[in-house]
Amino acid sequence: MEDLAKIGYFFANHCVRYDGNKQFQDPNLSQLIQSQMLIAGMYEFSGEYARTVGLPSKSGVGGGIAVSVPRNMGIGAFSPALDQHGNSLAGYHMILDLVNAKHLSLFD
């Protein structure tokens, strides 16, 4: 999960690593990747996920989800049980609860 959060952080902060390394800093690439994550990162559930969670995210069929909170942080979730779309079921609910509790959505 830590690696998933680091990936989310990387793109959330213009491709600056969590340790402050700016070797790959690229705001344009960050914007491109996050926009793709927002509209297509959760397979067929991407539209509903964008509406409910409102953050750039990418899931994998192994049960991991990497989330970017733009200009802020990365969030990682992992649970191998998948929903009908191939996304982590528990991971989605954990992220949704956290986003709602902390008002992290881009649409708040």
Side-chain angles (χ1 to χ4, degrees):
M1 268 192 307
E2 183 179 338
D3 288 339
L4 294 169
K6 287 176 182 178
I7 292 167
Y9 180 93
F10 182 77
F11 292 116
N13 290 283
H14 303 294
C15 300
V16 173
R17 288 182 11 176
Y18 71 97
D19 63 2
N21 184 326
K22 295 181 179 183
Q23 177 181 355
F24 304 105
Q25 187 172 13
D26 188 340
N28 292 325
L29 179 61
S30 173
Q31 183 183 43
L32 174 67
I33 298 297
Q34 287 186 91
S35 66
Q36 290 300 305
M37 288 168 68
L38 185 64
I39 65 171
M42 300 297 286
Y43 306 114
E44 296 299 318
F45 191 59
S46 294
E48 181 65 12
Y49 184 91
R51 185 186 70 78
T52 58
V53 173
L55 291 173
S57 303
K58 178 63 184 110
S59 76
V61 295
I65 302 175
V67 183
S68 288
V69 182
R71 297 167 308 281
N72 195 340
M73 68 178 140
I75 301 168
F78 175 79
S79 179
L82 305 179
D83 65 14
Q84 68 271 24
H85 305 288
N87 301 310
S88 171
L89 188 58
Y92 163 68
H93 288 287
M94 186 279 299
I95 293 164
L96 181 61
D97 290 347
L98 178 64
V99 166
N100 287 334
K102 300 296 182 183
H103 305 284
L104 298 174
S105 173
L106 294 174
F107 306 116
D108 275 350

